């Protein structure tokens, strides 16, 4: 089932949580709402679920072309996984998962035997069948997460909404659950939207990523699109490590950090301020000028634990920046704190205007 | 420990820790003696005193005190008052706690303050307020008299003031718990299709079950033990509007010590039962969890 929401606004007192947001999710798609905290992503998710009412004058919320904006939460048939799981603490795992089936009106309620079979099948799906009689406070975070998911799936939702599904888990469990959720989604193919502030999570899991900032949508696209072709400074800044330089555009050239590069996109004669972004892995590092356009910098710190070595640098023009090189390249360069190096940006992104 | 070296540095730690985190024995001893002294002086001695006085002339006289029709009437009235006031107080407390703990609305702090009012007002003043409202010269007095309804110096007045002094107990127990638990579980239930009614009975109420019972016990203890407010509105009509605490006072003023302390011993027993029940409820929660854990561990080792 597809989701389409149009022109949704939401204010809490004076705080604008959502400002005229529209979004569509196709059937079977897995979409990430990505943004910093306070960007409105959770509010949007809760509005889709019906847990929050959009402001007056907001547009429709359509599930498969049917407007559900006036529908009660319970009648929308969405599966919702809460950030802190919200498992019923006085019920066992089995009872938690069975809850959605047991509260149905008598006519629609499956028989006891059918509920039992179904719950056990779901617990098998999330690989927790052996914990059916446990209580939530006896489970680890990852296990609770999966129970919450099984509970949401029990009602065979057409739409699955997840609020920071891995937010409260440690790094290793996160990784595993992320991969597991991706597989699960491929298996059951339910239209899903999840909220996250973790860009890796969004880029790895989602078919499409919706980047949000201050109640607005900055960009929508595949992980590739938003990462490699950010449309705004915010997206560039938010996705991945990036170095930012305050520069200027002048007669087809961009000037920053004592460098001048051709910038044919700019044809105005007028001088204009510009924000220049270079990813750390796009900074080529060398110990001498090697012919490329480059600027000089001093190494201030070296982080060599990890697959790549991160060099913290201070450019001769005063900006601090960060460059990433492979371990081999690092050994080849033989640099240490205090060394003078030359930085040649392989790829730069330029946004005309002041810092945004 | 997989390696021998890892255990070596920890061997000296316990002794060091004891030194670092406890007081000298003199301080410990003095604090313990002080605490036990207070406990004995203010709790144990009065309790023993009540039973000693009640049984001063033997079991026969003790039991004889309960054959007095006035005493029986007082016990009946106390039970009746509690039976009416406690459920009403509970219903009110639950509703108030639910509203305050789970919803946002204007005037919430005013409501919380109002709920605390009976705790801050002297019970005697509370009683007088009711006399002022329902008494013969009170605001509603003439109207009530014209319709032949008597509230002050009668059972309805006693129930009303009992209700007034007991109503914060349940609410006060539940509000912090419900606020701490938040609304996520209720939201989860609503998303899963449960009605508001279902959500309340199956999610909200079970989560506060033990706190609720605890509040009810405290409320009951106060309902049966209240003296001041009831004394003002009761009129002290023997065999008619005397509750157990009032009966105790009357008997004491009559120099009928054995009878007074016999009734008092019932109230003391009530206090002890209250304490036992409270402990049982706490123990039950712990046992329920431990049991569930054991079952699971057994199943896990089988699979």
């Amino acid at each position: 089932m597809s989701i389409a929401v149009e022109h949704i606004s939401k204010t809490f007192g004076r705080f604008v949580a959502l400002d005229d947001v529209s979004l569509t999710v196709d059937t079977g798609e897995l979409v990430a709402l990505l943004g910093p905290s306070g960007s409105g992503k959770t509010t949007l998710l809760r509005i889709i679920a019906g847990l929050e009412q959009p402001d007056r004058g907001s547009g429709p919320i359509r599930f498969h072309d049917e407007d559900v904006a006036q529908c009660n939460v319970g009648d929308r048939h969405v599966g919702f996984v809460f950030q802190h799981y919200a498992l019923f603490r006085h019920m066992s795992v089995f009872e938690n998962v069975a809850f959605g089936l047991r509260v149905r009106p008598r006519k629609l309620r499956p028989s006891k035997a059918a509920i039992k079979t179904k719950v056990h099948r779901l617990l098998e799906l999330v690989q927790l069948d052996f914990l059916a009689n446990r209580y939530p406070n006896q489970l680890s975070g990852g296990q609770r997460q999966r129970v919450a998911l099984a509970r949401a799936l029990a009602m065979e939702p057409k739409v699955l909404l997840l609020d920071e599904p891995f937010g409260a888990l440690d790094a290793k469990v996160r990784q595993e659950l992320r991969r597991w959720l991706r597989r699960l989604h491929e298996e059951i193919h339910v239209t899903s939207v999840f909220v996250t502030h973790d860009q890796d999570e969004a880029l790895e899991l989602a078919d499409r990523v919706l980047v949000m900032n201050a109640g607005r949508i900055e960009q929508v696209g595949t992980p590739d699109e938003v990462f490699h072709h950010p449309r705004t400074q915010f997206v560039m800044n938010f996705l991945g490590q990036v170095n930012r330089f305050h520069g200027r555009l002048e007669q087809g050239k961009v000037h920053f950090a004592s460098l001048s590069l051709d910038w044919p996109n700019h044809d105005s004669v007028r001088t204009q301020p510009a924000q220049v972004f270079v990813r750390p892995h796009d900074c080529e590092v060398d110990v001498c000028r090697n012919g490329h356009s480059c600027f000089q910098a001093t190494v201030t710190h070296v982080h060599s634990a990890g697959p790549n070595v991160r060099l913290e640098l201070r450019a001769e023009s005063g900006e601090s920046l960060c460059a990433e090189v492979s371990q081999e390249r690092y050994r080849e360069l033989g640099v240490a704190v205090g060394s003078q190096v030359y930085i040649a940006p392989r790829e730069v992104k330029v946004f005309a205007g002041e810092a945004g | 420990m997989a390696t021998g070296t890892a255990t070596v540095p920890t061997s000296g730690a316990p002794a060091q820790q004891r030194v670092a985190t406890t007081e000298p024995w003199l301080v410990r001893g003095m604090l313990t003696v002080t605490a036990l002294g207070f406990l004995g002086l203010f709790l144990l001695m009065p309790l023993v005193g009540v039973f000693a006085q009640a049984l001063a002339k033997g079991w026969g006289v003790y039991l004889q005190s309960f054959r007095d029709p006035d005493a029986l009437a007082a016990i009946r009235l106390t039970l009746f008052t509690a039976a009416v006031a406690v459920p009403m107080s509970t219903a009110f407390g639950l509703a108030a706690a639910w509203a305050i703990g789970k919803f946002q609305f204007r005037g919430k702090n005013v409501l919380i303050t109002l709920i605390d009012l009976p705790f801050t007002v002297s019970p005697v003043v509370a009683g007088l307020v009711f006399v002022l409202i329902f008494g013969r010269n009170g605001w509603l007095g003439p109207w009530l008299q014209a319709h032949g309804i008597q509230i002050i110096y009668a059972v309805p007045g006693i129930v009303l003031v009992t209700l007034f002094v007991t109503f914060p107990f349940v609410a006060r127990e539940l509000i912090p718990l419900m606020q701490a638990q938040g609304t996520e579980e209720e939201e989860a239930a609503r998303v899963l299709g449960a009605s508001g009614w279902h959500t309340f009975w199956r999610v909200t109420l079970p989560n506060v079950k033990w706190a609720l019972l605890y509040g009810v016990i405290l409320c009951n203890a106060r309902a049966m033990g209240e003296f001041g407010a009831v004394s003002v509105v009761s009129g002290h009509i023997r065999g008619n509007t005397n509750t157990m605490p009032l009966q105790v006072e009357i008997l004491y003023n009559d120099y009928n010590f054995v009878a007074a302390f016999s009734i008092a011993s019932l109230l003391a027993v009530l206090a002890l039962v209250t304490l036992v029940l409270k402990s049982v409820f706490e123990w039950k929660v712990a046992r329920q969890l431990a049991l569930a854990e054991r079952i699971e561990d057994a199943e896990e080792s089988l699979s």
Side-chain angles (χ1 to χ4, degrees):
Chain A
M1 184 147 74
S2 61
I3 307 170
V5 300
E6 285 165 32
H7 306 296
I8 299 291
S9 297
K10 175 76 184 174
T11 47
F12 295 104
R14 284 217 200 113
F15 177 72
V16 180
L18 290 174
D19 184 8
D20 195 21
V21 168
S22 301
L23 118 115
T24 55
V25 182
D26 293 332
T27 307
E29 215 180 6
L30 180 55
V31 168
L33 303 181
L34 174 67
S37 55
S39 60
K41 52 198 191 315
T42 294
T43 308
L44 181 56
L45 196 77
R46 289 171 61 86
I47 285 175
I48 296 173
L51 288 168
E52 213 83 67
Q53 288 300 311
D55 288 348
R56 255 162 216 278
S58 292
I61 299 167
R62 293 205 184 87
F63 286 177
H64 203 74
D65 296 335
E66 183 197 345
D67 188 358
V68 294
Q70 302 308 319
C71 250
N72 212 325
V73 202
D75 300 329
R76 294 196 190 185
H77 300 289
V78 297
F80 199 101
V81 177
F82 289 82
Q83 185 176 1
H84 302 292
Y85 323 125
L87 295 178
F88 305 126
R89 69 194 88 190
H90 64 281
M91 294 185 203
S92 67
V93 167
F94 180 92
E95 289 168 322
N96 260 283
V97 178
F99 186 88
L101 302 169
R102 284 180 175 167
V103 296
R104 281 192 193 168
R106 204 172 292 274
K107 275 177 287 176
L108 300 170
R109 199 183 307 158
S111 70
K112 269 192 176 166
I115 290 177
K116 197 171 174 193
T117 320
K118 181 155 189 185
V119 170
H120 281 295
R121 217 193 57 230
L122 277 162
L123 286 175
E124 270 164 33
L125 182 72
V126 299
Q127 301 155 3
L128 287 177
D129 206 23
F130 65 104
L131 293 177
N133 295 320
R134 283 261 173 125
Y135 283 84
N137 62 355
Q138 300 165 323
L139 304 180
S140 71
Q143 289 168 340
R144 283 180 210 184
Q145 172 64 44
R146 285 183 282 159
V147 174
L149 198 61
R151 183 177 70 176
L153 292 173
M155 43 190 298
E156 291 172 16
K158 302 289 184 339
V159 171
L160 185 61
L161 306 172
L162 306 105
D163 186 7
E164 295 273 5
F166 314 116
L169 302 171
D170 59 68
K172 193 149 168 51
V173 179
R174 262 170 116 103
Q175 285 273 345
E176 280 166 23
L177 266 182
R178 208 188 282 171
R179 254 171 259 137
W180 175 84
L181 184 68
R182 180 80 238 181
R183 276 205 309 280
L184 186 77
H185 183 257
E186 276 156 15
E187 211 170 300
I188 58 177
H189 241 79
V190 56
T191 308
S192 310
V193 181
F194 73 99
V195 158
T196 180
H197 62 263
D198 180 339
Q199 32 137 341
D200 292 335
E201 208 164 281
L203 297 177
E204 187 181 319
L205 261 178
D207 297 320
R208 272 194 311 147
V209 178
L210 200 139
V211 186
M212 293 189 70
N213 178 36
R216 290 169 166 278
I217 293 176
E218 292 274 333
Q219 188 172 357
V220 186
T222 62
D224 238 35
E225 275 166 16
V226 292
F227 189 79
H228 292 295
H229 306 288
R231 274 219 303 270
T232 65
Q233 289 185 43
F234 176 83
V235 177
M236 183 78 209
N237 231 334
F238 193 70
L239 292 180
Q241 285 262 337
V242 74
N243 299 305
R244 172 212 286 262
F245 300 91
H246 299 280
R248 61 184 199 282
L249 286 165
E250 214 169 43
Q251 296 174 342
K253 279 188 180 296
V254 58
H255 305 276
F256 69 97
S258 68
L259 256 185
S260 294
L261 301 175
D262 284 334
W263 199 254
N265 301 6
H266 184 256
D267 43 13
S268 160
V269 205
R270 211 162 44 88
T271 304
Q272 225 183 339
Q275 307 302 317
V276 181
F277 293 90
V278 187
R279 299 246 186 242
H281 60 259
D282 285 330
C283 290
E284 210 164 289
V285 182
D286 217 329
V287 286
C288 55
R289 284 184 188 276
N290 56 4
H292 299 292
S293 13
C294 53
F295 57 88
Q296 208 181 0
T298 314
V299 179
T300 58
H301 211 286
V302 179
H303 304 275
S304 55
N308 289 318
V309 177
R310 228 168 70 231
L311 302 173
E312 277 175 29
L313 308 152
R314 182 170 300 282
E316 56 184 339
S317 51
E319 286 107 332
S320 357
L321 71 152
C322 182
E324 228 175 77
V325 296
S326 67
Q327 293 280 0
E328 285 158 293
R329 178 75 183 142
Y330 172 65
R331 279 191 295 273
E332 225 170 85
L333 287 167
V335 294
V337 174
S339 305
Q340 293 292 315
V341 292
Y342 293 89
I343 306 298
R346 243 169 274 149
E347 203 186 324
V348 299
K349 276 269 181 304
V350 178
F351 294 94
E354 295 294 342
Chain B
M1 282 291 123
T3 58
T5 50
T7 56
V8 175
T10 60
S11 60
Q16 247 174 1
Q17 219 171 14
R18 203 172 301 143
V19 172
T21 56
T22 52
E23 304 297 332
W25 68 267
L26 190 67
V27 177
R28 273 185 287 154
M30 269 163 58
L31 286 171
T32 310
V33 167
T34 312
L36 287 178
F38 269 96
L39 202 68
L41 195 64
F42 290 107
L43 290 173
L44 212 58
M45 265 172 58
L47 197 62
V48 172
V50 166
F51 285 98
Q53 288 285 341
L55 295 168
K57 293 185 182 157
W59 279 97
V61 184
Y62 176 73
L63 291 175
Q64 191 62 44
S65 321
F66 298 117
R67 293 214 189 93
D68 175 33
D70 287 354
L72 281 175
I75 294 169
R76 260 201 306 275
L77 180 58
T78 294
L79 290 178
F80 173 78
T81 306
V84 176
V86 172
M88 283 174 83
S89 236
T90 305
F92 165 81
L94 202 52
W98 188 57
I100 289 167
K102 307 283 179 182
F103 297 93
Q104 294 301 325
F105 56 90
R106 225 177 250 259
K108 196 159 150 170
N109 285 327
V110 177
L111 185 59
I112 294 176
T113 312
L114 281 178
I115 289 172
D116 277 345
L117 192 68
F119 275 169
T120 53
V121 171
S122 155
V124 175
V125 175
L128 284 172
V129 166
F130 279 86
V131 171
L132 196 68
I133 298 173
F134 297 109
R136 190 180 301 187
N137 301 315
W139 299 339
L140 301 177
W143 186 87
L144 288 169
Q145 220 167 6
H147 289 79
I149 302 166
Q150 192 173 7
I151 289 184
I152 301 303
Y153 308 136
V155 175
I158 293 171
V159 172
L160 269 178
V161 291
T162 306
L163 205 54
F164 179 83
V165 296
T166 55
F167 86 45
F169 283 93
V170 172
R172 268 283 136 198
E173 274 313 307
L174 295 183
I175 288 168
L177 184 65
M178 281 187 162
Q179 274 177 333
Q181 285 178 348
T183 52
E184 262 206 342
E185 285 184 45
E186 279 80 6
E187 283 184 342
R190 299 304 299 274
V191 173
L192 289 167
S195 62
W197 183 249
H198 257 134
T199 304
F200 181 76
W201 285 104
R202 296 206 184 185
V203 177
T204 309
L205 200 57
N207 274 346
V208 297
K209 182 168 55 180
W210 301 110
L212 179 66
L213 281 173
Y214 185 43
V216 169
I217 291 172
L218 288 182
C219 177
N220 185 57
R222 181 68 190 265
M224 292 190 173
E226 176 56 29
F227 177 83
V230 172
S231 173
V232 174
V233 299
S234 115
H236 303 274
I237 305 162
R238 289 193 193 210
N240 193 357
T241 63
N242 271 343
T243 59
M244 280 162 71
L246 300 185
Q247 184 71 15
V248 172
E249 196 213 15
I250 287 172
L251 291 170
Y252 187 82
N253 288 344
D254 290 348
Y255 301 105
N256 194 348
F257 295 128
V258 170
F261 279 104
S262 301
I263 308 280
S265 73
L266 281 188
L267 288 168
V269 167
L270 169 74
L272 291 175
V273 169
T274 302
L275 284 177
V276 170
L277 281 178
K278 176 192 167 266
S279 313
V280 168
F281 290 151
E282 281 171 355
W283 172 77
K284 262 189 113 147
V285 183
R287 197 185 62 136
Q288 194 182 17
L289 289 175
L291 189 72
E293 218 160 327
R294 270 214 304 283
I295 291 169
E296 280 318 313
D297 287 343
E299 280 181 9
E300 222 170 332
S301 63
L302 285 174
S303 63

